[in-house]
Amino acid sequence: MWNAGRGADVADEDLRHRYRVLRRVLAANSELLERMADLEADLALFDLDEPSLRVCVRDLLDGSLLLAENLNLLTGGDHQQLYRVHAEIARELDTSLEKARRAAVHPLVTPLREVRGGTAREAGGKAANLGELRAARPDLVPEGLVVTTSAFRHFLDANGLRQPIRSLSRDLDLLAGQPLFRERTGAIRALVTASPMPPQLAGALENAVSEFSGVRRWAVRSSAVGEDGKLSFAGQFESVLDVEPRGLGAAYARVLASRWNDRAVLYRLYAGIAEVETPMAVLLLPMVDAAIAGVLYTRDPAAPHADRMVADHVAGLADAMVRGDAQATTTVLRRGGTGGTDVGAEGLPERLGAALLDAGTAAEELFGGPQDLEWVWSPEGRLWVVQSRPLRIGEVAQRTPEEPGEPLLAGGMAIFPGRASGPVHLGTGAAAIDATPEGAVLVVAQATPELSAALPRLAALIAEQGNPAGHAAALAREFAVPTLFGVPGALERLEQGAAVSIDAGQRRVWAGSLWPEVRERVRSRIRHSARARRGHPVHDRILALNLSDPLARTFRASACRSVHDIVRFCHEIAVAAMFRLGDTVSRGGRRVWRLESPVPLNLWLLDLGGAVPQDLRAKKRLKAEQVESAPFQALWRGMGRQGVTWAGRSQVSLKAFASVLTASIHDARAPVRELGGANYLLVAPDYVSLNARLAYHFTMVDAHVGEAAENNFVNFRFRGGAAGVERRDLRARFLAEVLLRSGFGVDRRGDLVTAWLRRFPAAPSLVALELLGALTGCARQLDMLMTGEAAMRDYVDRFLAGDYAAFS
């Protein structure tokens, strides 16, 4: 124990001063994390010219600068470089926001004849492609109108829909497959369809339509940004046909609402597309009476090197055919003429075949690659092209010299050729399809666009029935999933869970797992299925987290590249400064006590003032019940809940242990404090901060809980693990979903999970702390039990049900 005197008084005052500054740092950290989560939601919905987004950016810049000042106050000015970094971030953001503001003025409605590829951000992908084709071949594409993405934003703003949609869209990726997901998307659609056309937009549309005096019926079709481009969005949105002029407003709102169809939202989530990247323009084309309609592939997907085109067609309009609800007739068009029709096909009129060959050749030359054209043949004998998008074609696998035994299935149509292996999953209904595990071979009765949610995680797809010109086929090609359509009896002949191997190009399915190198390619495709996010100046300079590992040599002020980096750096360094002070004070034994505890974390308690009664201050050890801190007691109750164990795992398999060993060998990280070393609890009557660092992960909980709700916060952070990347990612998703369903705000980036609860009254704040105590115990080494998606979701349900024994 220290001798009484000036030295002790100075140390006490220094501790109190640093604690006050630390409280400011932690409170600012909590608020900034919440604002960043709001901004991330805003960036998913709003363009850079949105005023509320600009205000949020400025608030975050101001808040992070104040945070840096407090850190320097706490550390005696050790991190002055943060000011230079902050100034660079602010300059770049100011330039980007001003550029966006100047570029934000566009018309609400524009003629199709004025649309080109360079205007795709305002006209959408479908209209941009048609505008390009019409400019080159005006005889092929009818004149029409485009209600631009500026009109879409105006519609949302005029009806006050931005904030409700933002709230309903939050954390949808964590809710996929749950009833709440469908409730949220349904609520958004209801809001949009119930909203009236704003007067300015209604007037612009009425004026534009008045120039088409002879048109009595319209086709109202989606043209989202990105649609019919690198990603097709095939079948994700609605088209409304045969619309009278007076019904255009309602049809427009209906197409806008289809942006939030369940399958469309899942498509964007699985493709890693932010909502703001696909604003909805709407294409209006005069309805054309259809004698025959269909889809033309300018290359045969089953034989891409053959010199022929393939036309799938039906009598009348083709909307049912492309949905997969009507069977098409297929005609092969050889580039030297018409002929070679499939067995049972009725063929096409000679003039139509020639016109299709001409149109297909023109589109290929214009766009520089194979095209997928939607077309209509009028009763008067005129061809109209109403859609053109890239056709995705995979290479047909070469036949091996020796077949690997008798196939289980043979035949069908190769929609996307390629090889894959995986367990069979029988998709007998929507719920079964939603539950398809990663890497499975999904078998369904009918291929429909609703499969889009499952396609990114499939090894292969087999459908008993399916239209090769339908939306489901386009999506399978887009996600590069080996796919067979037209395989009768597949549901009966393939057994649930049985391992199979498929060569879609050769139209065969064998029992067993063949081609081990293919299995790894499938895993790689699923892991990286179009999840890359396009660079965004606000995202990169505000939200991107580059300093996730405090143990790395690059974890320093000069390496900060974003506001999130500054916040992360300031929090870590501030807590580390208090740890160092605790180490210093502990040598005198004045304010640090060893906590007697069954929890094997070697916990030392640092009293920031008033948490340890005066009559106990001479002791070297304290019991938890002797600490007079309400937030500490709540956290401790959770850590000691019945069933929560802090011993080693009893369920770890040899495979999981091997995963841990492999990951450890290749992970250069070391603990901040060695396994078994001291971990500190900082406590005050209304405050607790736990920073527990073990060999491969760390947990942070800090909370202020007092009578004034506006000052209360509960923060949580968890990072790392001993297992491989996939298992750590699954544990992070487990944590994020538990916290989300428990009322926390959540941000997950790889294996780093950050969560917060702010401005709640004392009672619910203490309940949240108790939950965090239990969660911290249950999540330890849980990465070793994470065998897949199903296991992760099962553990979520078990934890929320209080079944803590499942985690032992």
Side-chain angles (χ1 to χ4, degrees):
M1 175 180 277
W2 285 1
N3 293 322
R6 180 172 174 78
D9 292 338
V10 170
D12 282 354
E13 180 56 35
D14 186 33
L15 182 64
R16 285 192 291 270
H17 169 70
R18 293 199 192 197
Y19 172 50
R20 287 192 292 268
V21 178
L22 177 67
R23 288 278 292 269
R24 293 200 294 269
V25 170
L26 295 176
N29 176 78
S30 179
E31 183 172 352
L32 289 168
L33 287 174
E34 185 177 13
R35 294 304 300 271
M36 284 192 288
D38 288 342
L39 177 63
E40 186 149 34
D42 288 347
L43 285 178
L45 296 172
F46 303 159
D47 285 293
L48 289 182
D49 60 300
E50 171 65 27
S52 65
L53 187 148
R54 299 166 70 89
V55 170
C56 188
V57 168
R58 178 49 55 194
D59 288 347
L60 282 165
L61 285 171
D62 292 346
S64 57
L65 180 59
L66 182 60
L67 187 68
E69 291 174 350
N70 276 315
L71 179 67
N72 276 299
L73 184 62
L74 183 67
T75 60
D78 288 346
H79 304 287
Q80 298 286 324
Q81 279 189 310
L82 284 173
Y83 300 133
R84 178 185 58 78
V85 169
H86 186 278
E88 292 176 359
I89 293 171
R91 277 195 299 271
E92 184 172 330
L93 285 169
D94 286 343
T95 300
S96 298
L97 292 172
E98 180 60 22
K99 182 179 178 181
R101 188 188 64 81
R102 292 176 179 177
V105 180
H106 297 285
L108 300 179
V109 182
T110 190
L112 181 61
R113 64 177 176 271
E114 297 179 7
V115 172
R116 298 291 186 277
T119 62
R121 184 67 193 172
E122 284 299 309
K126 186 178 295 180
N129 289 351
L130 277 182
E132 288 281 2
L133 184 57
R134 191 181 190 282
R137 290 289 303 271
D139 59 311
L140 288 177
V141 180
E143 174 61 311
L145 297 168
V146 180
V147 187
T148 65
T149 56
S150 289
F152 167 68
R153 292 189 289 271
H154 177 70
F155 183 95
L156 297 182
D157 290 336
N159 287 294
L161 297 178
R162 296 273 196 176
Q163 296 307 318
I165 289 175
R166 185 183 77 170
S167 298
L168 291 166
S169 299
R170 172 165 285 180
D171 301 313
L172 281 178
D173 57 331
L174 298 174
L175 299 174
Q178 299 180 30
L180 185 55
F181 178 92
R182 295 186 287 275
E183 291 175 16
R184 294 257 200 100
T185 55
I188 296 174
R189 293 194 298 274
L191 284 172
V192 174
T193 54
S195 298
M197 284 287 279
Q200 185 180 349
L201 177 54
L205 182 57
E206 184 178 354
N207 290 337
V209 169
S210 67
E211 297 183 13
F212 294 77
S213 57
V215 178
R216 295 289 177 263
R217 295 174 300 141
W218 291 85
V220 183
R221 310 188 69 188
S222 66
S223 182
V225 172
E227 187 175 1
D228 293 346
K230 291 183 178 179
L231 297 174
S232 70
F233 289 85
Q236 302 306 299
F237 309 125
E238 277 198 53
S239 294
V240 188
L241 306 180
D242 280 318
V243 180
E244 296 180 357
R246 65 182 180 183
L248 287 174
Y252 172 74
R254 183 173 159 188
V255 173
L256 290 194
S258 72
R259 259 192 104 253
W260 291 278
N261 285 339
D262 290 356
R263 62 179 181 268
V265 175
L266 287 169
Y267 181 94
R268 291 192 290 274
L269 290 174
Y270 287 126
I273 302 170
E275 290 286 310
V276 73
E277 295 181 272
T278 59
M280 180 68 80
V282 174
L283 174 65
L284 276 62
L285 293 176
M287 284 294 298
V288 178
D289 290 331
I292 306 172
V295 171
L296 175 71
Y297 293 154
T298 64
R299 292 284 172 182
D300 185 348
H305 300 298
D307 196 19
R308 64 190 185 221
M309 302 184 188
V310 177
D312 291 279
H313 48 91
V314 294
L317 294 172
D319 54 324
M321 183 195 82
V322 297
R323 286 198 310 267
D325 296 336
Q327 193 63 37
T329 299
T330 302
T331 300
V332 176
L333 304 172
R334 308 197 187 282
R335 293 179 186 258
T338 306
T341 60
D342 286 350
V343 176
E346 298 175 0
L348 291 172
E350 185 175 349
R351 283 180 57 211
L352 174 53
L356 286 171
L357 283 166
D358 172 58
T361 301
E364 272 198 341
E365 291 176 353
L366 176 65
F367 295 112
Q371 293 293 296
D372 170 352
L373 305 181
E374 191 174 329
W375 52 268
V376 176
W377 181 252
S378 74
E380 297 79 25
R382 180 166 183 179
L383 178 68
W384 294 106
V385 176
V386 295
Q387 179 172 301
S388 181
R389 64 186 175 203
L391 175 64
R392 290 159 184 81
I393 297 176
E395 291 296 323
V396 179
Q398 297 296 316
R399 184 184 296 273
T400 53
E402 296 182 4
E403 297 286 5
E406 187 68 22
L408 295 172
L409 297 173
M413 295 174 285
I415 301 303
F416 190 87
R419 289 177 168 179
S421 295
V424 169
H425 183 78
L426 302 179
T428 53
I433 292 172
D434 288 344
T436 306
E438 285 189 357
V441 176
L442 178 61
V443 185
V444 296
Q446 178 72 42
T448 66
E450 282 70 24
L451 293 173
S452 60
L455 278 166
R457 60 181 185 270
L458 297 186
L461 172 65
I462 300 171
E464 294 186 335
Q465 298 180 43
N467 190 337
H471 294 314
L475 294 169
R477 296 187 191 101
E478 182 174 309
F479 287 106
V481 176
T483 300
L484 286 175
F485 284 1
V487 188
L491 284 167
E492 292 183 4
R493 295 167 64 184
L494 296 179
E495 181 182 350
Q496 175 75 16
V500 297
S501 297
I502 177 174
D503 187 330
Q506 303 302 326
R507 300 181 297 169
R508 285 173 169 78
V509 180
W510 289 274
S513 296
L514 309 174
W515 319 306
E517 74 286 355
V518 171
R519 290 201 300 276
E520 186 53 41
R521 286 204 301 269
V522 168
R523 293 191 193 100
S524 179
R525 170 176 60 76
I526 291 171
R527 283 196 300 267
H528 301 96
S529 60
R531 286 187 176 269
R533 182 184 175 119
R534 187 182 66 180
H536 188 296
V538 175
H539 178 273
D540 293 346
R541 289 307 228 168
I542 295 281
L543 300 174
L545 182 61
N546 308 293
L547 301 186
S548 62
D549 187 354
L551 309 173
R553 294 178 180 176
T554 55
F555 196 87
R556 56 181 183 269
S558 61
C560 292
R561 297 290 178 265
S562 69
V563 167
H564 199 167
D565 286 342
I566 293 174
V567 173
R568 176 79 177 92
F569 179 83
C570 289
H571 179 272
E572 183 69 25
I573 299 301
V575 173
M578 294 303 292
F579 277 1
R580 286 195 296 274
L581 181 61
D583 285 335
T584 301
V585 176
S586 69
R587 285 195 288 271
R590 183 60 180 258
R591 287 186 176 271
V592 175
W593 294 262
R594 176 71 182 269
L595 195 65
E596 295 181 359
S597 164
V599 177
L601 295 182
N602 190 11
L603 290 169
W604 290 77
L605 187 142
L606 173 60
D607 181 16
L608 298 172
V612 178
Q614 190 65 37
D615 61 340
L616 298 177
R617 302 186 70 81
K619 293 182 175 295
K620 296 181 178 179
R621 292 174 177 264
L622 290 177
K623 297 179 180 179
E625 60 268 24
Q626 294 173 321
V627 180
E628 296 180 350
S629 166
F632 166 81
Q633 291 297 338
L635 180 66
W636 200 254
R637 283 195 300 274
M639 295 174 74
R641 275 184 181 176
Q642 185 175 359
V644 175
T645 178
W646 292 84
R649 294 283 174 213
S650 62
Q651 305 174 41
V652 178
S653 65
L654 182 61
K655 181 178 180 181
F657 180 75
S659 170
V660 170
L661 183 61
T662 303
S664 303
I665 291 172
H666 294 92
D667 193 341
R669 296 178 298 183
V672 171
R673 292 177 181 267
E674 297 177 359
L675 186 62
N679 290 285
Y680 283 110
L681 277 158
L682 284 67
V683 295
D686 56 359
Y687 177 75
V688 65
S689 177
L690 166 67
N691 284 262
R693 288 164 165 82
L694 301 179
Y696 296 103
H697 73 266
F698 77 83
T699 300
M700 179 279 291
V701 178
D702 65 39
H704 174 270
V705 182
E707 294 182 0
E710 63 270 19
N711 296 327
N712 289 343
F713 61 82
V714 179
N715 293 334
F716 173 80
R717 191 186 297 266
F718 191 103
R719 181 191 63 81
V725 173
E726 291 184 21
R727 288 173 180 264
R728 295 205 308 269
D729 183 70
L730 283 168
R731 176 171 59 182
R733 290 175 59 196
F734 158 81
L735 289 167
E737 185 155 343
V738 166
L739 291 163
L740 175 69
R741 289 167 62 177
S742 301
F744 282 81
V746 178
D747 179 76
R748 182 179 69 85
R749 298 165 190 270
D751 65 356
L752 173 64
V753 177
T754 304
W756 58 92
L757 200 70
R758 297 189 64 229
R759 302 188 185 95
F760 275 70
S765 297
L766 294 175
V767 169
L769 272 169
E770 191 169 340
L771 178 137
L772 289 180
L775 186 62
T776 301
C778 290
R780 290 181 60 253
Q781 303 176 13
L782 186 60
D783 48 353
M784 289 191 268
L785 304 183
M786 288 296 179
T787 56
E789 182 83 15
M792 183 273 291
R793 294 198 176 277
D794 180 58
Y795 279 116
V796 169
D797 292 338
R798 286 175 178 268
F799 180 85
L800 292 173
D803 181 12
Y804 306 130
F807 296 83
S808 61

